[in-house]
Amino acid sequence: MEKKNIDWSNIGFGYIQSDYRYVSNYKDGAWDEGTITTDANIVLNECAGVLQYAQTVFEGLKAYTTEDGRIVTFRPDLNAERLESSAKRLEMPVFPKERFVDAITQLVAANEASVPPYGSGATLYIRPYIFGTNPVIGVKPADEYQFRAFVTPVGPYFKGGVKPLTICVSDFDRAAPHGTGNIKAGLNYAMSLHAIVTAHANGFDENMYLDPATRTKVEETGGANFLFVTKGGKVVTPKSDSILPSITRRSLVYVAQHYLGLEVEEREVLFTEMEDMAECGLCGTAAVISPVGKIVDHGREICLPSGMTEMGPITKKLYDTLTGIQMGRIEAPEGWIHVIR
Ligand code: PLP
Ligand code: COI
């Protein structure tokens, strides 16, 4: 298979149109059989539910070329399950798990030319989503939907690759108590746009969101969960009902415990504890684990002992083990690797 003529090692996290996408439409209470198509454009009624009331949920996962030349995805069953809980929360029909995994399999296989080669530093980002398509003007769920998934080759989410980031405590909230912070809905990202543009304008790479009710506990960033390492070598990650249950974070917790023999605590994390942390990482499909070197709270700087030049030692071990599993260099736990071909 001849690969696309792309400078794989120098791409960022952007959209590069690929040849094929998967589409299935929902009408009269059922999904059609779905198909791979070449048309990257969608024609919608001006009053479509997604356009008026943001009825859309999505997922993000990646395909990798392994050391031995296979093409695989990482835990797609968990993305299917999370898409199900997102869809239910926004009163949308569920796209069944087996169909989700089959759609991703067909999609990645069709786009083999766009799957970055092993060792290039790039991966294939997969974006499945569901949105309301029929006209809706009174506030209510749509009756018709589209499930669509496309792919785009991507490099690192943060410019500079693994250089430690500087983040700031946001004055905005990304989620409300009992709101939609724990699902992957487009609306959560729309409301974070002003906050991220403001953070960038002030010279920061990302926002640290605190819990909206008390503003004393650490939640997550706009696109990743937090993992901390305490000065005592313990891995700590925030537990909250208003953060997205990251598949990367859940996998890293397992890796920390079962591959690295580390103690892990998933619990509420107070902002005042930041002074006790030795390392901090942002974890997610796009972010993988991106190290944080500095946290700024309204001018007060908290400099992590891991510094601003490289990843902390435990973050690095977590990163190497997780990416080793994804790229086939390290044996994966049962069921984590879904082979496309
Ligand atoms: N938190 C938010 C708000 C996200 O958008 C993402 C990205 O999907 C994550 C966390 C990380 O989740 P995952 O590891 O499943 O990609
Ligand atoms: C992902 O990591 O898949 C996400 O959806 C995060 C997004 C900010 C790109």
PDB file of all heavy atoms in Angstrom, residues 232-265:
ATOM      1  N   GLY A 232       6.261  12.199  47.190  1.00  0.00           N
ATOM      2  CA  GLY A 232       6.503  10.864  47.742  1.00  0.00           C
ATOM      3  C   GLY A 232       6.414   9.745  46.706  1.00  0.00           C
ATOM      4  O   GLY A 232       6.489   8.566  47.047  1.00  0.00           O
ATOM      5  N   GLY A 233       6.207  10.103  45.428  1.00  0.00           N
ATOM      6  CA  GLY A 233       6.216   9.086  44.366  1.00  0.00           C
ATOM      7  C   GLY A 233       4.874   8.398  44.109  1.00  0.00           C
ATOM      8  O   GLY A 233       4.809   7.386  43.406  1.00  0.00           O
ATOM      9  N   LYS A 234       3.811   8.938  44.672  1.00  0.00           N
ATOM     10  CA  LYS A 234       2.478   8.364  44.472  1.00  0.00           C
ATOM     11  C   LYS A 234       1.809   9.026  43.270  1.00  0.00           C
ATOM     12  O   LYS A 234       1.951  10.242  43.087  1.00  0.00           O
ATOM     13  CB  LYS A 234       1.646   8.679  45.719  1.00  0.00           C
ATOM     14  CG  LYS A 234       0.786   7.554  46.201  1.00  0.00           C
ATOM     15  CD  LYS A 234      -0.074   7.993  47.361  1.00  0.00           C
ATOM     16  CE  LYS A 234       0.593   7.788  48.708  1.00  0.00           C
ATOM     17  NZ  LYS A 234      -0.189   8.359  49.812  1.00  0.00           N
ATOM     18  N   VAL A 235       1.098   8.255  42.464  1.00  0.00           N
ATOM     19  CA  VAL A 235       0.351   8.841  41.346  1.00  0.00           C
ATOM     20  C   VAL A 235      -1.034   9.230  41.866  1.00  0.00           C
ATOM     21  O   VAL A 235      -1.703   8.430  42.523  1.00  0.00           O
ATOM     22  CB  VAL A 235       0.236   7.830  40.181  1.00  0.00           C
ATOM     23  CG1 VAL A 235      -0.662   8.368  39.077  1.00  0.00           C
ATOM     24  CG2 VAL A 235       1.632   7.506  39.631  1.00  0.00           C
ATOM     25  N   VAL A 236      -1.435  10.465  41.594  1.00  0.00           N
ATOM     26  CA  VAL A 236      -2.740  10.954  42.061  1.00  0.00           C
ATOM     27  C   VAL A 236      -3.495  11.541  40.877  1.00  0.00           C
ATOM     28  O   VAL A 236      -2.916  12.284  40.082  1.00  0.00           O
ATOM     29  CB  VAL A 236      -2.553  12.035  43.157  1.00  0.00           C
ATOM     30  CG1 VAL A 236      -3.895  12.621  43.567  1.00  0.00           C
ATOM     31  CG2 VAL A 236      -1.838  11.464  44.365  1.00  0.00           C
ATOM     32  N   THR A 237      -4.775  11.199  40.778  1.00  0.00           N
ATOM     33  CA  THR A 237      -5.578  11.751  39.683  1.00  0.00           C
ATOM     34  C   THR A 237      -6.942  12.172  40.219  1.00  0.00           C
ATOM     35  O   THR A 237      -7.522  11.471  41.059  1.00  0.00           O
ATOM     36  CB  THR A 237      -5.670  10.728  38.517  1.00  0.00           C
ATOM     37  OG1 THR A 237      -6.313  11.355  37.405  1.00  0.00           O
ATOM     38  CG2 THR A 237      -6.419   9.473  38.877  1.00  0.00           C
ATOM     39  N   PRO A 238      -7.442  13.330  39.782  1.00  0.00           N
ATOM     40  CA  PRO A 238      -8.715  13.820  40.328  1.00  0.00           C
ATOM     41  C   PRO A 238      -9.910  12.921  40.005  1.00  0.00           C
ATOM     42  O   PRO A 238     -10.018  12.386  38.897  1.00  0.00           O
ATOM     43  CB  PRO A 238      -8.892  15.180  39.653  1.00  0.00           C
ATOM     44  CG  PRO A 238      -7.521  15.611  39.261  1.00  0.00           C
ATOM     45  CD  PRO A 238      -6.809  14.338  38.901  1.00  0.00           C
ATOM     46  N   LYS A 239     -10.764  12.781  41.018  1.00  0.00           N
ATOM     47  CA  LYS A 239     -12.023  12.059  40.841  1.00  0.00           C
ATOM     48  C   LYS A 239     -13.120  13.116  40.940  1.00  0.00           C
ATOM     49  O   LYS A 239     -13.144  13.901  41.889  1.00  0.00           O
ATOM     50  CB  LYS A 239     -12.171  11.070  41.992  1.00  0.00           C
ATOM     51  CG  LYS A 239     -13.312  10.101  41.872  1.00  0.00           C
ATOM     52  CD  LYS A 239     -13.308   9.242  43.143  1.00  0.00           C
ATOM     53  CE  LYS A 239     -14.526   8.381  43.232  1.00  0.00           C
ATOM     54  NZ  LYS A 239     -14.321   7.070  42.683  1.00  0.00           N
ATOM     55  N   SER A 240     -13.967  13.176  39.952  1.00  0.00           N
ATOM     56  CA  SER A 240     -15.036  14.180  39.946  1.00  0.00           C
ATOM     57  C   SER A 240     -16.128  13.709  38.997  1.00  0.00           C
ATOM     58  O   SER A 240     -15.835  13.086  37.971  1.00  0.00           O
ATOM     59  CB  SER A 240     -14.470  15.518  39.468  1.00  0.00           C
ATOM     60  OG  SER A 240     -15.503  16.356  39.012  1.00  0.00           O
ATOM     61  N   ASP A 241     -17.369  14.067  39.322  1.00  0.00           N
ATOM     62  CA  ASP A 241     -18.487  13.719  38.434  1.00  0.00           C
ATOM     63  C   ASP A 241     -18.583  14.652  37.240  1.00  0.00           C
ATOM     64  O   ASP A 241     -19.377  14.414  36.343  1.00  0.00           O
ATOM     65  CB  ASP A 241     -19.811  13.811  39.204  1.00  0.00           C
ATOM     66  CG  ASP A 241     -19.915  12.711  40.234  1.00  0.00           C
ATOM     67  OD1 ASP A 241     -19.195  11.710  40.093  1.00  0.00           O
ATOM     68  OD2 ASP A 241     -20.716  12.876  41.182  1.00  0.00           O
ATOM     69  N   SER A 242     -17.805  15.739  37.258  1.00  0.00           N
ATOM     70  CA  SER A 242     -17.944  16.682  36.145  1.00  0.00           C
ATOM     71  C   SER A 242     -16.735  16.704  35.214  1.00  0.00           C
ATOM     72  O   SER A 242     -16.585  17.629  34.422  1.00  0.00           O
ATOM     73  CB  SER A 242     -18.279  18.084  36.668  1.00  0.00           C
ATOM     74  OG  SER A 242     -17.437  18.438  37.728  1.00  0.00           O
ATOM     75  N   ILE A 243     -15.874  15.666  35.292  1.00  0.00           N
ATOM     76  CA  ILE A 243     -14.790  15.576  34.304  1.00  0.00           C
ATOM     77  C   ILE A 243     -15.046  14.408  33.357  1.00  0.00           C
ATOM     78  O   ILE A 243     -15.786  13.473  33.686  1.00  0.00           O
ATOM     79  CB  ILE A 243     -13.384  15.438  34.948  1.00  0.00           C
ATOM     80  CG1 ILE A 243     -13.227  14.108  35.705  1.00  0.00           C
ATOM     81  CG2 ILE A 243     -13.096  16.619  35.859  1.00  0.00           C
ATOM     82  CD1 ILE A 243     -11.806  13.884  36.223  1.00  0.00           C
ATOM     83  N   LEU A 244     -14.416  14.475  32.179  1.00  0.00           N
ATOM     84  CA  LEU A 244     -14.588  13.397  31.206  1.00  0.00           C
ATOM     85  C   LEU A 244     -13.820  12.163  31.679  1.00  0.00           C
ATOM     86  O   LEU A 244     -12.642  12.279  32.038  1.00  0.00           O
ATOM     87  CB  LEU A 244     -14.063  13.835  29.829  1.00  0.00           C
ATOM     88  CG  LEU A 244     -14.476  12.887  28.707  1.00  0.00           C
ATOM     89  CD1 LEU A 244     -15.936  13.101  28.327  1.00  0.00           C
ATOM     90  CD2 LEU A 244     -13.600  13.067  27.477  1.00  0.00           C
ATOM     91  N   PRO A 245     -14.469  10.993  31.699  1.00  0.00           N
ATOM     92  CA  PRO A 245     -13.717   9.787  32.083  1.00  0.00           C
ATOM     93  C   PRO A 245     -12.746   9.382  30.963  1.00  0.00           C
ATOM     94  O   PRO A 245     -13.100   8.636  30.052  1.00  0.00           O
ATOM     95  CB  PRO A 245     -14.811   8.734  32.318  1.00  0.00           C
ATOM     96  CG  PRO A 245     -16.041   9.256  31.669  1.00  0.00           C
ATOM     97  CD  PRO A 245     -15.886  10.725  31.425  1.00  0.00           C
ATOM     98  N   SER A 246     -11.539   9.900  31.063  1.00  0.00           N
ATOM     99  CA  SER A 246     -10.525   9.698  30.017  1.00  0.00           C
ATOM    100  C   SER A 246     -10.100   8.230  29.929  1.00  0.00           C
ATOM    101  O   SER A 246      -9.756   7.605  30.939  1.00  0.00           O
ATOM    102  CB  SER A 246      -9.305  10.565  30.351  1.00  0.00           C
ATOM    103  OG  SER A 246      -8.143  10.095  29.702  1.00  0.00           O
ATOM    104  N   ILE A 247     -10.070   7.739  28.728  1.00  0.00           N
ATOM    105  CA  ILE A 247      -9.633   6.349  28.492  1.00  0.00           C
ATOM    106  C   ILE A 247      -8.111   6.261  28.682  1.00  0.00           C
ATOM    107  O   ILE A 247      -7.594   5.286  29.228  1.00  0.00           O
ATOM    108  CB  ILE A 247     -10.081   5.903  27.082  1.00  0.00           C
ATOM    109  CG1 ILE A 247     -11.616   5.827  27.060  1.00  0.00           C
ATOM    110  CG2 ILE A 247      -9.441   4.572  26.684  1.00  0.00           C
ATOM    111  CD1 ILE A 247     -12.236   5.821  25.691  1.00  0.00           C
ATOM    112  N   THR A 248      -7.418   7.310  28.287  1.00  0.00           N
ATOM    113  CA  THR A 248      -5.963   7.347  28.486  1.00  0.00           C
ATOM    114  C   THR A 248      -5.647   7.322  29.980  1.00  0.00           C
ATOM    115  O   THR A 248      -4.778   6.568  30.427  1.00  0.00           O
ATOM    116  CB  THR A 248      -5.379   8.630  27.850  1.00  0.00           C
ATOM    117  OG1 THR A 248      -5.913   8.767  26.537  1.00  0.00           O
ATOM    118  CG2 THR A 248      -3.868   8.600  27.807  1.00  0.00           C
ATOM    119  N   ARG A 249      -6.358   8.151  30.742  1.00  0.00           N
ATOM    120  CA  ARG A 249      -6.107   8.206  32.195  1.00  0.00           C
ATOM    121  C   ARG A 249      -6.413   6.862  32.851  1.00  0.00           C
ATOM    122  O   ARG A 249      -5.615   6.357  33.646  1.00  0.00           O
ATOM    123  CB  ARG A 249      -6.949   9.318  32.824  1.00  0.00           C
ATOM    124  CG  ARG A 249      -6.672   9.567  34.299  1.00  0.00           C
ATOM    125  CD  ARG A 249      -7.807   9.110  35.200  1.00  0.00           C
ATOM    126  NE  ARG A 249      -9.053   9.745  34.835  1.00  0.00           N
ATOM    127  CZ  ARG A 249     -10.238   9.215  35.151  1.00  0.00           C
ATOM    128  NH1 ARG A 249     -10.323   8.081  35.801  1.00  0.00           N
ATOM    129  NH2 ARG A 249     -11.342   9.831  34.797  1.00  0.00           N
ATOM    130  N   ARG A 250      -7.528   6.229  32.473  1.00  0.00           N
ATOM    131  CA  ARG A 250      -7.855   4.924  33.064  1.00  0.00           C
ATOM    132  C   ARG A 250      -6.779   3.894  32.702  1.00  0.00           C
ATOM    133  O   ARG A 250      -6.400   3.055  33.514  1.00  0.00           O
ATOM    134  CB  ARG A 250      -9.242   4.473  32.583  1.00  0.00           C
ATOM    135  CG  ARG A 250     -10.379   5.241  33.254  1.00  0.00           C
ATOM    136  CD  ARG A 250     -11.724   4.746  32.767  1.00  0.00           C
ATOM    137  NE  ARG A 250     -12.204   5.514  31.627  1.00  0.00           N
ATOM    138  CZ  ARG A 250     -13.184   5.124  30.812  1.00  0.00           C
ATOM    139  NH1 ARG A 250     -13.775   3.949  31.002  1.00  0.00           N
ATOM    140  NH2 ARG A 250     -13.588   5.879  29.823  1.00  0.00           N
ATOM    141  N   SER A 251      -6.260   3.997  31.479  1.00  0.00           N
ATOM    142  CA  SER A 251      -5.220   3.055  31.042  1.00  0.00           C
ATOM    143  C   SER A 251      -3.911   3.314  31.783  1.00  0.00           C
ATOM    144  O   SER A 251      -3.211   2.372  32.178  1.00  0.00           O
ATOM    145  CB  SER A 251      -4.995   3.180  29.530  1.00  0.00           C
ATOM    146  OG  SER A 251      -6.222   2.988  28.853  1.00  0.00           O
ATOM    147  N   LEU A 252      -3.603   4.595  31.993  1.00  0.00           N
ATOM    148  CA  LEU A 252      -2.356   4.944  32.697  1.00  0.00           C
ATOM    149  C   LEU A 252      -2.404   4.521  34.160  1.00  0.00           C
ATOM    150  O   LEU A 252      -1.381   4.117  34.723  1.00  0.00           O
ATOM    151  CB  LEU A 252      -2.097   6.449  32.594  1.00  0.00           C
ATOM    152  CG  LEU A 252      -1.610   6.915  31.214  1.00  0.00           C
ATOM    153  CD1 LEU A 252      -1.702   8.431  31.103  1.00  0.00           C
ATOM    154  CD2 LEU A 252      -0.182   6.434  30.952  1.00  0.00           C
ATOM    155  N   VAL A 253      -3.580   4.596  34.764  1.00  0.00           N
ATOM    156  CA  VAL A 253      -3.717   4.140  36.151  1.00  0.00           C
ATOM    157  C   VAL A 253      -3.381   2.643  36.216  1.00  0.00           C
ATOM    158  O   VAL A 253      -2.632   2.188  37.081  1.00  0.00           O
ATOM    159  CB  VAL A 253      -5.147   4.440  36.678  1.00  0.00           C
ATOM    160  CG1 VAL A 253      -5.459   3.633  37.933  1.00  0.00           C
ATOM    161  CG2 VAL A 253      -5.306   5.939  36.939  1.00  0.00           C
ATOM    162  N   TYR A 254      -3.884   1.886  35.240  1.00  0.00           N
ATOM    163  CA  TYR A 254      -3.600   0.447  35.199  1.00  0.00           C
ATOM    164  C   TYR A 254      -2.106   0.194  34.963  1.00  0.00           C
ATOM    165  O   TYR A 254      -1.487  -0.643  35.637  1.00  0.00           O
ATOM    166  CB  TYR A 254      -4.444  -0.205  34.085  1.00  0.00           C
ATOM    167  CG  TYR A 254      -4.315  -1.705  34.052  1.00  0.00           C
ATOM    168  CD1 TYR A 254      -5.200  -2.521  34.762  1.00  0.00           C
ATOM    169  CD2 TYR A 254      -3.289  -2.322  33.327  1.00  0.00           C
ATOM    170  CE1 TYR A 254      -5.070  -3.899  34.742  1.00  0.00           C
ATOM    171  CE2 TYR A 254      -3.146  -3.700  33.311  1.00  0.00           C
ATOM    172  CZ  TYR A 254      -4.039  -4.481  34.016  1.00  0.00           C
ATOM    173  OH  TYR A 254      -3.908  -5.844  34.003  1.00  0.00           O
ATOM    174  N   VAL A 255      -1.543   0.972  34.037  1.00  0.00           N
ATOM    175  CA  VAL A 255      -0.107   0.830  33.728  1.00  0.00           C
ATOM    176  C   VAL A 255       0.724   1.151  34.972  1.00  0.00           C
ATOM    177  O   VAL A 255       1.664   0.423  35.319  1.00  0.00           O
ATOM    178  CB  VAL A 255       0.282   1.760  32.545  1.00  0.00           C
ATOM    179  CG1 VAL A 255       1.790   1.960  32.457  1.00  0.00           C
ATOM    180  CG2 VAL A 255      -0.253   1.192  31.230  1.00  0.00           C
ATOM    181  N   ALA A 256       0.357   2.236  35.666  1.00  0.00           N
ATOM    182  CA  ALA A 256       1.099   2.632  36.876  1.00  0.00           C
ATOM    183  C   ALA A 256       1.067   1.504  37.903  1.00  0.00           C
ATOM    184  O   ALA A 256       2.103   1.133  38.481  1.00  0.00           O
ATOM    185  CB  ALA A 256       0.503   3.909  37.457  1.00  0.00           C
ATOM    186  N   GLN A 257      -0.109   0.921  38.105  1.00  0.00           N
ATOM    187  CA  GLN A 257      -0.245  -0.115  39.133  1.00  0.00           C
ATOM    188  C   GLN A 257       0.369  -1.446  38.706  1.00  0.00           C
ATOM    189  O   GLN A 257       1.107  -2.070  39.464  1.00  0.00           O
ATOM    190  CB  GLN A 257      -1.735  -0.343  39.452  1.00  0.00           C
ATOM    191  CG  GLN A 257      -2.362   0.831  40.186  1.00  0.00           C
ATOM    192  CD  GLN A 257      -3.871   0.715  40.276  1.00  0.00           C
ATOM    193  OE1 GLN A 257      -4.526   0.228  39.351  1.00  0.00           O
ATOM    194  NE2 GLN A 257      -4.440   1.181  41.376  1.00  0.00           N
ATOM    195  N   HIS A 258       0.053  -1.886  37.492  1.00  0.00           N
ATOM    196  CA  HIS A 258       0.390  -3.251  37.094  1.00  0.00           C
ATOM    197  C   HIS A 258       1.691  -3.404  36.320  1.00  0.00           C
ATOM    198  O   HIS A 258       2.252  -4.475  36.274  1.00  0.00           O
ATOM    199  CB  HIS A 258      -0.763  -3.864  36.302  1.00  0.00           C
ATOM    200  CG  HIS A 258      -2.007  -4.006  37.128  1.00  0.00           C
ATOM    201  ND1 HIS A 258      -2.968  -3.021  37.175  1.00  0.00           N
ATOM    202  CD2 HIS A 258      -2.408  -4.971  37.977  1.00  0.00           C
ATOM    203  CE1 HIS A 258      -3.933  -3.389  38.002  1.00  0.00           C
ATOM    204  NE2 HIS A 258      -3.617  -4.572  38.504  1.00  0.00           N
ATOM    205  N   TYR A 259       2.159  -2.345  35.695  1.00  0.00           N
ATOM    206  CA  TYR A 259       3.423  -2.436  34.956  1.00  0.00           C
ATOM    207  C   TYR A 259       4.563  -1.788  35.748  1.00  0.00           C
ATOM    208  O   TYR A 259       5.701  -2.229  35.663  1.00  0.00           O
ATOM    209  CB  TYR A 259       3.333  -1.758  33.579  1.00  0.00           C
ATOM    210  CG  TYR A 259       2.572  -2.539  32.530  1.00  0.00           C
ATOM    211  CD1 TYR A 259       1.206  -2.768  32.653  1.00  0.00           C
ATOM    212  CD2 TYR A 259       3.212  -3.039  31.395  1.00  0.00           C
ATOM    213  CE1 TYR A 259       0.500  -3.462  31.681  1.00  0.00           C
ATOM    214  CE2 TYR A 259       2.510  -3.740  30.418  1.00  0.00           C
ATOM    215  CZ  TYR A 259       1.154  -3.947  30.566  1.00  0.00           C
ATOM    216  OH  TYR A 259       0.472  -4.640  29.609  1.00  0.00           O
ATOM    217  N   LEU A 260       4.229  -0.715  36.483  1.00  0.00           N
ATOM    218  CA  LEU A 260       5.302   0.035  37.145  1.00  0.00           C
ATOM    219  C   LEU A 260       5.294  -0.141  38.655  1.00  0.00           C
ATOM    220  O   LEU A 260       6.179   0.371  39.344  1.00  0.00           O
ATOM    221  CB  LEU A 260       5.202   1.529  36.775  1.00  0.00           C
ATOM    222  CG  LEU A 260       5.220   1.841  35.263  1.00  0.00           C
ATOM    223  CD1 LEU A 260       5.052   3.339  35.019  1.00  0.00           C
ATOM    224  CD2 LEU A 260       6.515   1.348  34.609  1.00  0.00           C
ATOM    225  N   GLY A 261       4.285  -0.848  39.177  1.00  0.00           N
ATOM    226  CA  GLY A 261       4.237  -1.117  40.615  1.00  0.00           C
ATOM    227  C   GLY A 261       4.078   0.142  41.468  1.00  0.00           C
ATOM    228  O   GLY A 261       4.547   0.181  42.610  1.00  0.00           O
ATOM    229  N   LEU A 262       3.406   1.149  40.937  1.00  0.00           N
ATOM    230  CA  LEU A 262       3.243   2.408  41.680  1.00  0.00           C
ATOM    231  C   LEU A 262       1.918   2.413  42.437  1.00  0.00           C
ATOM    232  O   LEU A 262       0.947   1.778  42.026  1.00  0.00           O
ATOM    233  CB  LEU A 262       3.265   3.593  40.706  1.00  0.00           C
ATOM    234  CG  LEU A 262       4.574   3.802  39.942  1.00  0.00           C
ATOM    235  CD1 LEU A 262       4.368   4.781  38.786  1.00  0.00           C
ATOM    236  CD2 LEU A 262       5.658   4.313  40.889  1.00  0.00           C
ATOM    237  N   GLU A 263       1.897   3.195  43.489  1.00  0.00           N
ATOM    238  CA  GLU A 263       0.652   3.381  44.232  1.00  0.00           C
ATOM    239  C   GLU A 263      -0.150   4.491  43.530  1.00  0.00           C
ATOM    240  O   GLU A 263       0.416   5.525  43.153  1.00  0.00           O
ATOM    241  CB  GLU A 263       1.005   3.799  45.657  1.00  0.00           C
ATOM    242  CG  GLU A 263      -0.141   3.621  46.627  1.00  0.00           C
ATOM    243  CD  GLU A 263       0.237   4.079  48.028  1.00  0.00           C
ATOM    244  OE1 GLU A 263       1.410   3.889  48.423  1.00  0.00           O
ATOM    245  OE2 GLU A 263      -0.641   4.636  48.689  1.00  0.00           O
ATOM    246  N   VAL A 264      -1.438   4.258  43.356  1.00  0.00           N
ATOM    247  CA  VAL A 264      -2.274   5.249  42.662  1.00  0.00           C
ATOM    248  C   VAL A 264      -3.472   5.609  43.531  1.00  0.00           C
ATOM    249  O   VAL A 264      -4.116   4.732  44.106  1.00  0.00           O
ATOM    250  CB  VAL A 264      -2.801   4.705  41.309  1.00  0.00           C
ATOM    251  CG1 VAL A 264      -3.648   5.766  40.598  1.00  0.00           C
ATOM    252  CG2 VAL A 264      -1.659   4.250  40.406  1.00  0.00           C
ATOM    253  N   GLU A 265      -3.758   6.894  43.597  1.00  0.00           N
ATOM    254  CA  GLU A 265      -4.967   7.347  44.305  1.00  0.00           C
ATOM    255  C   GLU A 265      -5.836   8.123  43.335  1.00  0.00           C
ATOM    256  O   GLU A 265      -5.379   9.090  42.725  1.00  0.00           O
ATOM    257  CB  GLU A 265      -4.588   8.287  45.461  1.00  0.00           C
ATOM    258  CG  GLU A 265      -3.975   7.591  46.634  1.00  0.00           C
ATOM    259  CD  GLU A 265      -3.557   8.566  47.735  1.00  0.00           C
ATOM    260  OE1 GLU A 265      -3.670   9.794  47.545  1.00  0.00           O
ATOM    261  OE2 GLU A 265      -3.098   8.072  48.771  1.00  0.00           O
TER     262      GLU A 265
END
